[in-house]
Amino acid sequence: GRHSMLPRHVQRLGRDCIAHWNGSQMLALNSPVPNCTRWAGHYPWASFPLLVPADFSINWRIPPFFGPWRQFQNCNRQLDNFMQSPCFHLPNPRMKSEGEEPLTKKRRLGDQHDTSTLEEGTNLSNQEEAGDLSVAQIEEKHSSKKGTVKRHWEYFCQHGRTMKIIENKQTDSSNTESDAKFDFTVMSYNILSQNLLEDNSHLYKHCRQCLLIWAYRFPNILEEIKQLDADVLCLQEVQEDHYRTEIKSSLESLGYHCEYKMRTGRKPDGCAICFKTSKFSLISSNPVEFFRRDIPLLDRDNVGLVLLLQPKFHCETNAAICIANTHLLYNPRRGDIKLTQLAMLLAEIASVASQKDGTFCPIVICGDFNSVPGSPLYRFIKEGKLNYEGLSIGKVSGQEQFPRGQRILSIPIWPKKLGISQSCVYETKQQQKEENAGEKLETTKLDKNQEIVRASEKLSSKLQHCFKLSSVYSHYFPETGIPEVTTCHSRSAVTVDYIFYSAASGDTAAQPGAENSFHGGLKLLGRLALLTEKDLWTVNGLPNENNSSDHLPLLAEFRLIER
């Protein structure tokens, strides 16, 4: 049959070089290609054999048009050898939507293998197709060929114990300064909800299906958590039924206490914070729901969770640490919702972490913020202020190079009935603070009122928060300037996951401007290094055989500094 979508010279090829195959199998022929096979028409430069499938249900590879053609002068080549040459993909006519990704996302694997490896891979595929190998043998052969990318531990100061990240960590009671030091590790990890994976299968076209089932993925994720052995886990996309039947009990057996907040909508996943009971005790658990039935802007079901933890060590004061976890809205074109959700989370943190003397206890904020480094939302978190006047909603998160959301953010972004001020605190407490400090504005003269109204109108486009936060990661490798990556799938490879913390004065790893404005603070001791996109594609991106989420876990070690 003919295909109207094909080039004319492809349609005119002789019937003797037409080959049919099943869309789920690789093409393999045992007979040599006929010597007479040539391009039809006036294409003398294309003197090599070309096979055309009658069923284009998969991306069929043809050799490049430019390059040395001596390898094709001998036309009696086997097809399996013929298919090993570098190639490009024809478009897949069965892509259901523009959001679905073609199979061309299977990339960069060839860079890491020599010719012999490719031949072995082709032979392995042929054996699989012929049914000569069992499933277990196929898995064993694949796993023996796949490599892993090592992540190293980066320390920012002298540390007595090396490789603490993979060893059983215990408080060093022999240390003479043990009463004044408290070291702990925090992990942020989006473990990829199985429901979301299946609803967005176009993001994982590069993965073998057997690697995407939960029965395969969960043991990998649990083993990764065991090896990293963090004192605090901040997990996103935790599916409720899996949490109830497997995750919670598995983590409790490792010595964790778990707090969980499920999303308010139909999608059955949420956020969890788990901490080692040997290191912390729970003071309070505070879930945050971003959905508001009476506010049209807040019609999304994302959530957050804020815990106040008491370290288990002897000290003069009752030290506490605030741990927050969230997963903000993904939609790149709704920066107004993202900023409002972030403001709600910051307001809850300000309420939970506030101390009697007006300062805040040390804070760690983890999560998937669905925003890239340098974006307005990211700068707002780190710098504590943002003037969003004239800012389009599609540019808030920086997820799209050419944002489609062109509507300008309204001033103010959220309605007053939300009860959160432009300083990202609950308004009732803000008013009490102003009254106690004697900063309440006087409204006796009309002209003064008008000036106040005009001033408030000018300031209404400015957001601010009272925390001075640093990022654990720098987001670029200093030697090369290549971006770090926290998520990598068929569509993109970027940084969207973060660990922010309130830095103590003198913390050499903190960004400029993160001075001590807290009740003590945190000193960053080390972090588990991230990877580049190229690194991840050497193991076929994420998920893969060893990493069963499309995100990498972030891990940092802190020391609590008392003031």
Side-chain angles (χ1 to χ4, degrees):
R2 292 180 178 269
H3 299 273
S4 59
M5 296 292 293
L6 298 177
R8 181 176 299 174
H9 54 268
V10 176
Q11 299 178 29
R12 295 171 57 186
L13 288 175
R15 292 184 180 179
D16 57 337
C17 62
I18 299 294
H20 298 265
W21 74 79
N22 189 320
S24 62
Q25 303 291 332
M26 294 294 296
L27 176 62
L29 295 179
N30 295 322
S31 60
V33 178
N35 290 334
C36 61
T37 305
R38 293 291 186 273
W39 279 101
H42 304 284
Y43 301 100
W45 45 268
S47 59
F48 53 86
L50 179 65
L51 295 183
V52 181
D55 181 5
F56 273 76
S57 61
I58 63 173
N59 286 329
W60 184 70
R61 298 184 172 191
I62 64 176
F65 290 112
F66 304 99
W69 304 113
R70 290 185 179 180
Q71 56 180 320
F72 299 109
Q73 290 177 0
N74 180 11
C75 296
N76 291 316
R77 281 190 175 271
Q78 298 291 338
L79 185 59
D80 55 352
N81 294 328
F82 177 76
M83 295 292 289
Q84 292 176 14
S85 60
C87 51
F88 66 90
H89 292 268
L90 292 176
N92 189 345
R94 293 192 181 183
M95 287 173 58
K96 297 178 181 179
S97 65
E98 64 178 6
E100 186 174 349
E101 293 297 319
L103 296 180
T104 54
K105 295 297 183 179
K106 295 182 178 179
R107 52 184 174 177
R108 301 185 181 177
L109 293 176
D111 297 341
Q112 305 298 320
H113 303 284
D114 55 15
T115 305
S116 62
T117 304
L118 289 174
E119 292 176 355
E120 292 172 4
T122 304
N123 294 334
L124 176 61
S125 298
N126 293 338
Q127 290 175 354
E128 293 174 13
E129 179 186 28
D132 295 337
L133 297 179
S134 66
V135 175
Q137 289 174 323
I138 293 173
E139 291 298 324
E140 182 179 358
K141 284 183 174 289
H142 277 296
S143 61
S144 64
K145 295 160 70 66
K146 296 283 185 179
T148 57
V149 179
K150 300 293 185 180
R151 298 175 62 186
H152 62 278
W153 186 251
E154 298 176 334
Y155 285 108
F156 291 94
C157 63
Q158 295 296 327
H159 201 283
R161 289 164 292 183
T162 59
M163 297 304 290
K164 186 178 180 181
I165 192 63
I166 58 173
E167 297 177 354
N168 293 329
K169 300 184 291 297
Q170 296 179 356
T171 304
D172 188 1
S173 59
S174 63
N175 194 331
T176 57
E177 299 180 357
S178 60
D179 288 346
K181 292 183 179 179
F182 180 77
D183 298 349
F184 64 100
T185 53
V186 178
M187 176 197 291
S188 181
Y189 195 7
N190 183 326
I191 65 173
L192 181 57
S193 161
Q194 189 67 23
N195 275 22
L196 292 178
L197 182 155
E198 294 170 1
D199 290 345
N200 298 276
S201 59
H202 60 278
L203 299 178
Y204 312 106
K205 293 293 186 181
H206 61 285
C207 303
R208 289 184 291 138
Q209 291 300 313
C210 62
L211 305 182
L212 299 179
I213 60 175
W214 178 248
Y216 181 92
R217 294 177 55 231
F218 178 61
N220 270 0
I221 293 171
L222 187 61
E223 182 61 28
E224 200 165 17
I225 291 175
K226 286 181 181 179
Q227 290 183 0
L228 296 177
D229 194 26
D231 298 315
V232 180
L233 306 175
C234 292
L235 307 178
Q236 303 90 41
E237 292 193 21
V238 181
Q239 193 163 305
E240 192 274 338
D241 57 337
H242 293 157
Y243 173 78
R244 179 171 26 87
T245 59
E246 296 178 277
I247 298 176
K248 186 174 185 290
S249 58
S250 298
L251 293 179
E252 286 177 343
S253 68
L254 297 177
Y256 290 98
H257 172 83
C258 303
E259 294 289 325
Y260 178 71
K261 175 56 184 174
M262 183 179 169
R263 292 170 70 173
T264 52
R266 294 182 177 180
K267 293 182 179 179
D269 67 280
C271 295
I273 300 180
C274 314
F275 60 89
K276 289 282 187 70
T277 55
S278 60
K279 302 274 286 193
F280 298 96
S281 59
L282 180 64
I283 299 177
S284 66
S285 178
N286 308 272
V288 184
E289 296 182 356
F290 299 143
F291 176 82
R292 292 290 188 273
R293 192 176 303 276
D294 58 337
I295 300 178
L297 174 68
L298 297 173
D299 59 350
R300 309 305 166 94
D301 54 12
N302 305 82
V303 296
L305 186 60
V306 182
L307 265 57
L308 191 63
L309 301 179
Q310 175 78 50
K312 289 186 175 180
F313 76 115
H314 301 290
C315 59
E316 296 181 357
T317 59
N318 293 325
I321 299 174
C322 181
I323 306 289
N325 183 24
T326 191
H327 189 180
L328 299 185
L329 177 70
Y330 166 77
N331 193 336
R333 297 179 296 279
R334 294 308 304 266
D336 51 347
I337 299 179
K338 292 174 187 278
L339 283 174
T340 307
Q341 291 180 347
L342 178 60
M344 297 171 71
L345 180 70
L346 293 174
E348 185 63 26
I349 294 173
S351 175
V352 172
S354 61
Q355 304 291 296
K356 293 180 180 180
D357 59 357
T359 61
F360 298 97
C361 70
I363 296 169
V364 179
I365 306 177
C366 301
D368 182 345
F369 291 83
N370 277 314
S371 302
V372 302
S375 64
L377 187 143
Y378 173 86
R379 294 200 312 269
F380 173 55
I381 296 175
K382 283 191 57 179
E383 299 173 5
K385 58 184 178 180
L386 173 67
N387 187 349
Y388 59 87
E389 183 177 4
L391 180 63
S392 63
I393 60 175
K395 294 182 179 180
V396 170
S397 63
Q399 293 166 276
E400 295 180 333
Q401 186 176 2
F402 304 102
R404 288 171 282 178
Q406 299 299 329
R407 180 168 58 84
I408 303 300
L409 287 169
S410 61
I411 302 176
I413 299 176
W414 57 80
K416 188 175 180 61
K417 64 180 177 179
L418 180 60
I420 296 177
S421 71
Q422 297 287 291
S423 298
C424 298
V425 296
Y426 294 124
E427 284 191 325
T428 55
K429 295 187 176 182
Q430 173 74 7
Q431 293 170 358
Q432 292 175 0
K433 184 176 180 180
E434 290 178 353
E435 291 175 358
N436 295 336
E439 297 176 355
K440 192 174 183 180
L441 297 176
E442 305 220 354
T443 57
T444 54
K445 295 183 180 179
L446 180 61
D447 56 344
K448 194 169 185 179
N449 285 338
Q450 293 174 345
E451 291 178 2
I452 293 173
V453 171
R454 286 195 297 268
S456 64
E457 289 175 350
K458 293 180 181 178
L459 296 175
S460 62
S461 64
K462 294 181 180 180
L463 295 179
Q464 61 182 359
H465 65 77
C466 46
F467 312 122
K468 294 185 182 297
L469 301 172
S470 290
S471 173
V472 165
Y473 291 91
S474 54
H475 315 308
Y476 296 90
F477 290 91
E479 302 84 2
T480 61
I482 297 176
E484 298 172 337
V485 166
T486 67
T487 180
C488 179
H489 49 65
S490 294
R491 175 169 292 179
S492 65
V494 293
T495 288
V496 294
D497 307 276
Y498 303 94
I499 300 178
F500 298 103
Y501 70 103
S502 54
S505 59
D507 183 7
T508 57
Q511 283 78 8
E515 295 87 5
N516 179 24
S517 62
F518 297 83
H519 186 77
L522 299 174
K523 184 174 184 179
L524 180 62
L525 299 180
R527 66 190 179 192
L528 186 62
L530 288 171
L531 303 170
T532 67
E533 179 183 4
K534 183 177 181 181
D535 292 334
L536 288 173
W537 280 115
T538 62
V539 290
N540 201 34
L542 296 172
N544 55 53
E545 292 184 0
N546 300 293
N547 310 98
S548 288
S549 173
D550 58 348
H551 291 249
L552 291 173
L554 280 60
L555 184 65
E557 183 172 13
F558 298 104
R559 173 168 294 166
L560 176 62
I561 306 297
E562 291 190 86
R563 189 172 60 180

